[in-house]
Amino acid sequence: MKLQIASDTFTFNGAALETGAETLGQLRRSDDAAYDYDELRRRMAADGYLYLPGQLDRDEVITARHAVARRLADANLLDPSRPVEDCIAGEGVRVGFMAEVARDNPELDKVLYDGPMMEFYRGFLGGEVRHFDYTWFRTKSPGDNGTQPHYDVVYMGRGTRKLFTSWTPLSDITMDMGGLIVLEGSHRQHELIDTYGQLDVDRYCENDATTRELIETARAQGRDLTGAERGQAQWQSPTFGSYSNDPAATRRELGGRWLTDEYRMGDLLVFSMYTMHASPDNHTAQIRLSSDSRYQLASEPVDDRWIGDDPPLHGIRAHKAMIC
Ligand SMILES: O=C(O)CCC(=O)C(=O)O
């Protein structure tokens, strides 16, 4: 099946993304090998991702979507004249990331940390598995609201690098809704892995006096940096981890095609820490819902920014000094 794309609804920050066959392609499906873990490991090594349509229980995903939709409605983010489960954005609503809708959400936990998801990881990783306690949750309202190209390792690389992301749609995502795009071959770009792939977004430049003072003051006051202070400070990654703000330019620079598909609830996309990915703008009236969650062997070191009831996240407890 070919991707159905209208170029005016396939954009990033309002600018058209290329849609020719040499620049955009379809993800390779691996549902034909869903329980053949040797083959899945070969495909992950070859492609940097596994696309597993229908791997999860669609009814459980729909139940989790309804739980999320109720929270969005309670926060007055949905159009009150439309059914809650349609997740049509209220007028002027602008949201993108809401970790709070994933917190204490048993319906979502059942999809992400139980059943077919955990069974997949136990087979794929070949041992006892743990997941991060923190769940990232994307609530992409209509408009220019894509995700900039990045590797995940720059946000979560303090433990094992044999860590995997599950990107789990909680909407049926048409091409104009801005589903995830993965850059072909980006996990084999060794120069990129040795440079950009070594960054840690929570490392600050301690040889910059202003930065040192901002961090020391916040620590002494037992609080995180404010947004403005974070902007003033000098970091190892000045872009807070994004590789660029332009998926088209990133593709031209690194080569390969952006790969994607229309996604349905129940589908699962798994990728490595060194797989460049992004998402386009949302041209529909719905809030596009998805979670990203992380899994590794329990025996391997873990990045403690994402562990526990009150994880450090990217807050003051996570900041580490370096000479820039
Ligand atoms: O859903 C998106 O737009 C971005 C997801 C993402 O960056 C991730 O899964 O790491």
Side-chain angles (χ1 to χ4, degrees):
M1 205 183 68
K2 253 180 80 34
L3 294 171
Q4 301 292 321
I5 310 161
S7 54
D8 57 337
T9 58
F10 193 62
T11 65
F12 185 85
N13 261 344
L17 290 168
E18 298 153 303
T19 55
E22 66 294 346
T23 58
L24 183 70
Q26 205 155 11
L27 291 160
R28 175 187 359 183
R29 299 175 67 120
S30 284
D31 43 344
D32 60 316
Y35 297 97
D36 181 350
Y37 295 112
D38 286 336
E39 175 60 13
L40 292 179
R41 283 190 279 273
R42 270 194 291 278
R43 291 191 193 180
M44 176 61 82
D47 298 337
Y49 70 86
L50 293 172
Y51 175 39
L52 296 161
Q55 180 81 10
L56 305 176
D57 181 322
R58 182 171 164 89
D59 289 338
E60 286 180 5
V61 178
I62 291 173
T63 303
R65 171 185 170 82
H66 289 172
V68 168
R70 277 194 302 277
R71 292 181 185 208
L72 298 181
D74 290 346
N76 296 318
L77 297 174
L78 301 184
D79 180 340
S81 71
R82 305 290 293 274
V84 167
E85 58 275 17
D86 288 357
C87 290
I88 305 297
E91 207 182 322
V93 162
R94 170 92 190 165
V95 283
F97 183 81
M98 292 178 69
E100 60 273 32
V101 301
R103 217 169 289 132
D104 301 320
N105 187 332
E107 292 89 349
L108 182 63
D109 285 353
K110 186 156 176 48
V111 172
L112 300 182
Y113 304 128
D114 203 345
M117 183 77 86
M118 295 309 280
E119 190 192 341
F120 161 77
Y121 275 107
R122 277 191 294 271
F124 176 65
L125 294 173
E128 200 190 321
V129 165
R130 73 172 299 165
H131 58 80
F132 285 180
D133 296 321
Y134 184 80
T135 304
W136 286 250
F137 202 92
R138 319 276 167 170
T139 49
K140 299 281 194 177
S141 56
D144 299 352
N145 206 358
T147 300
Q148 298 177 341
H150 64 276
Y151 276 170
D152 277 352
V153 71
V154 302
Y155 304 98
M156 54 196 78
R158 291 186 186 172
T160 182
R161 305 285 171 98
K162 277 189 261 153
L163 174 69
F164 293 88
T165 295
S166 276
W167 184 80
T168 307
L170 280 89
S171 303
D172 288 336
I173 301 183
T174 47
M175 285 297 298
D176 55 354
M177 204 188 277
L180 209 81
I181 58 177
V182 165
L183 189 61
E184 191 173 40
S186 51
H187 67 302
R188 285 193 256 102
Q189 297 262 351
H190 296 293
E191 207 183 308
L192 189 66
I193 290 170
D194 290 344
T195 51
Y196 167 67
Q198 301 305 311
L199 297 181
D200 175 334
V201 296
D202 293 313
R203 285 197 177 272
Y204 66 90
C205 304
E206 70 169 339
N207 46 321
D208 177 65
T210 309
T211 304
R212 214 176 43 239
E213 195 183 317
L214 285 168
I215 304 254
E216 279 167 9
T217 306
R219 278 218 175 106
Q221 294 173 356
R223 62 173 176 85
D224 283 342
L225 295 182
T226 62
E229 286 171 337
R230 180 151 187 128
Q232 264 177 285
Q234 272 188 34
W235 301 91
Q236 187 183 46
S237 170
T239 59
F240 194 53
S242 296
Y243 180 68
S244 85
N245 189 23
D246 185 344
T250 296
R251 195 207 64 76
R252 284 193 295 272
E253 181 191 332
L254 298 177
R257 296 170 299 164
W258 283 112
L259 304 176
T260 189
D261 205 353
E262 297 207 329
Y263 301 97
R264 278 171 49 81
M265 285 183 277
D267 295 351
L268 175 63
L269 181 60
V270 176
F271 51 89
S272 81
M273 287 296 104
Y274 299 99
T275 303
M276 186 74 73
H277 57 283
S279 64
D281 300 332
N282 178 0
H283 286 269
T284 73
Q286 280 188 49
I287 299 184
R288 194 218 82 186
L289 303 177
S290 65
S291 64
D292 28 303
S293 45
R294 271 85 200 183
Y295 308 81
Q296 64 174 83
L297 279 176
S299 54
E300 302 249 332
V302 65
D303 184 332
D304 59 12
R305 282 173 290 185
W306 310 108
I307 299 302
D309 287 341
D310 176 27
L313 317 181
H314 296 301
I316 196 88
R317 288 176 290 153
H319 300 337
K320 282 195 177 162
M322 65 172 294
I323 304 293
C324 296

